[in-house]
Amino acid sequence: MLKGKHIILGITGGIAAYKSVSLLRLFVKSGAEVQVVITPAGKEFITPVTLSALSGKPVISEFFTANTGQWNSHVDIGLWADAMVIAPATASTIAKMAHGVADNMLVTTYLSAKAPVFIAPAMDLDMMAHPTTTRNLRQLRADGVRIIEPEEGELASHLVGKGRMAEPQEIHDTLLEFFNRRKSPLKGRKLLITAGPTYEKIDPVRFIGNYSSGKMGYAIADEAARRGMEVTLVSGPVAVSPEEAGVNVIKVESAREMLAACEKAFPTSDVAIMCAAVADYAPAHRSDRKIKREHDEVPVIELVKNPDIAATLGGAKHPGQRLVGFALETDNERSNAIEKLKRKNLDMIVLNSMNTPGAGFGVDTNDVTIILPDGTSTTSGCLPKKEVAAIILDSIESSYAG
């Protein structure tokens, strides 16, 4: 429950403001103390009288009360809060937040808030997809704001697409989950995680690699940061970025570069998760110039084994550290994964199969089996990678709790 928590509920001028009434009731029912801050445009959609009756507090909209001249201190409100939630967050408010345009009480309060900030965007699909909105949301993520993604469905314009504010229950549950995870046994611990592919150069324009998108590793890194871990993410070449501002990304290209970065970070890490799809082989010789089809003979590429990063760290692991490996298999999946777990001195291995629909490279879902050294296992089922990330970290948490 949210008993005793202080929550600022920001409401802006969008049609989804009617959902904010239900959200306010859910917060209050869960035991939270809620201060509503509404923009002038927001009052065109929902009255302060309704919000005040439900919250038990006067609704704040302006910097001072016109009749009495009483000053509403955005600084005091920002210091009071345990969390700030803006729902709905319109394109205008998102833009003001991203650029620090403090021309109303809500944005000024945001700029003064010391607590975590969550926003639930709500707007028409074209506004949601516009490069400006995308850029502003990217900036807010970089600033540490947590985005509660909008849903797809029929919008106020009667068009169908992404832009519907998340349902009040989902927003409430996001806050509940956040506060529960702040008590995580992983909080304050250091995580080293690898993600993405490695590229092993043949010549200046060609390489040996694989189809890994890095999405699974980045999802785990974000989830770990949300649980209060200090995250170092060693990443091969990918097109994704972390959503959480607290994730420290170290960019590498080859397996040997990844190994060097891991060996540097591992000694001070509490947990290491080897999620990257590291190339097993690299060319023994690399051409310094582009190999030309017109002038050169068909090349014979001699391969050499790349270092096994997980096994190397497994050999250096000290008591108290947790080392988690990944195994992507096409046959004899479980037996191959268990063999890797033992050979590499792992504390846990996450198995997924190229034969399972919705799992593997380049997709937004995964279906994994988490295997422990005693042979016990947990299967996730096919879920979004963000949810799979939570299941993996739950298993690591259990190892500390036990």
Side-chain angles (χ1 to χ4, degrees):
M1 303 294 284
L2 298 173
K3 186 174 178 61
K5 299 299 182 186
H6 295 168
I7 298 176
I8 300 169
L9 175 57
I11 302 174
T12 67
I15 190 64
Y18 77 91
K19 292 184 178 181
S20 302
V21 176
S22 297
L23 178 58
L24 173 56
R25 291 188 64 192
L26 287 170
F27 283 153
V28 172
K29 187 175 180 180
S30 289
E33 189 176 341
V34 185
Q35 175 61 66
V36 177
V37 180
I38 190 169
T39 64
K43 291 190 290 185
E44 300 295 324
F45 292 87
I46 187 75
T47 67
V49 173
T50 300
L51 299 167
S52 179
L54 292 172
S55 68
K57 287 177 172 291
V59 172
I60 296 174
S61 180
E62 308 295 343
F63 293 104
F64 60 89
T65 304
N67 294 335
T68 66
Q70 177 182 332
W71 176 257
N72 295 315
S73 173
H74 55 87
V75 175
D76 290 345
I77 299 169
L79 292 173
W80 168 83
D82 295 306
M84 182 176 189
V85 182
I86 301 176
T90 59
S92 175
T93 293
I94 289 169
K96 289 179 180 182
M97 291 171 66
H99 296 280
V101 181
D103 65 347
N104 62 41
M105 186 66 183
L106 179 58
V107 179
T108 307
T109 301
Y110 159 69
L111 293 174
S112 300
K114 305 299 183 186
V117 178
F118 300 77
I119 66 170
M123 63 197 76
D124 209 62
L125 76 165
D126 291 329
M127 297 174 72
M128 189 71 211
H130 197 279
T132 301
T133 304
T134 301
R135 184 167 59 249
N136 289 336
L137 287 171
R138 186 164 58 244
Q139 180 60 56
L140 289 181
R141 282 193 181 95
D143 292 341
V145 174
R146 292 160 170 84
I147 314 297
I148 303 173
E149 291 291 338
E151 301 173 352
E152 293 196 13
E154 185 175 358
L155 306 171
S157 64
H158 302 299
L159 298 174
V160 176
K162 185 175 182 179
R164 286 173 59 92
M165 187 179 96
E167 291 302 314
Q169 188 68 55
E170 180 185 347
I171 299 170
H172 168 275
D173 291 350
T174 297
L175 267 289
L176 186 61
E177 184 179 24
F178 169 77
F179 284 115
N180 285 340
R181 286 180 178 170
R182 292 183 80 179
K183 304 172 186 175
S184 167
L186 298 179
K187 184 178 180 181
R189 297 186 187 271
K190 293 183 178 180
L191 170 66
L192 165 65
I193 181 167
T194 64
T198 63
Y199 288 175
E200 314 299 332
K201 287 187 176 180
I202 297 170
D203 65 16
V205 298
R206 301 179 180 90
F207 61 86
I208 295 172
N210 57 61
Y211 297 113
S212 174
S213 65
K215 291 178 180 179
M216 188 71 254
Y218 275 71
I220 297 172
D222 283 328
E223 178 64 21
R226 284 190 283 269
R227 297 189 187 206
M229 299 190 81
E230 296 180 30
V231 183
T232 298
L233 171 58
V234 181
S235 175
V238 296
V240 293
S241 300
E243 294 181 358
E244 297 295 320
V247 177
N248 175 37
V249 181
I250 299 173
K251 296 280 191 179
V252 298
E253 186 172 87
S254 70
R256 293 187 180 278
E257 290 173 351
M258 184 171 283
L259 173 62
C262 288
E263 286 184 315
K264 184 176 180 180
F266 184 63
T268 58
S269 298
D270 298 296
V271 181
I273 302 176
M274 301 291 100
C275 189
V278 182
D280 293 321
Y281 302 97
H285 307 286
R286 191 183 86 186
S287 174
D288 292 330
R289 63 178 182 84
K290 180 182 177 183
I291 300 170
K292 299 289 287 182
R293 180 178 59 182
E294 294 84 355
H295 308 300
D296 298 324
E297 295 182 2
V298 176
V300 175
I301 301 174
E302 179 186 356
L303 300 178
V304 294
K305 284 186 177 181
N306 269 327
D308 189 324
I309 299 174
T312 302
L313 299 188
K317 185 176 64 170
H318 59 70
Q321 284 184 307
R322 308 293 200 273
L323 180 59
V324 180
F326 268 68
L328 178 61
E329 301 292 341
T330 59
D331 58 275
N332 300 319
E333 289 101 340
R334 188 179 180 89
S335 60
N336 284 339
I338 292 173
E339 186 275 329
K340 288 181 179 179
L341 183 149
K342 294 177 179 177
R343 173 168 51 85
K344 300 184 182 189
N345 193 26
L346 305 177
D347 298 287
M348 182 186 302
I349 194 160
V350 181
L351 166 66
N352 58 346
S353 170
M354 289 294 290
N355 299 317
T356 304
F361 291 143
V363 293
D364 293 326
T365 56
N366 209 348
D367 188 349
V368 306
T369 300
I370 301 167
I371 305 173
L372 302 180
D374 63 4
T376 58
S377 61
T378 302
T379 300
S380 69
C382 189
L383 295 170
K385 287 182 174 176
K386 288 185 177 182
E387 295 182 31
V388 174
I391 292 171
I392 292 169
L393 285 166
D394 286 345
S395 294
I396 298 172
E397 279 191 356
S398 297
S399 75
Y400 281 101

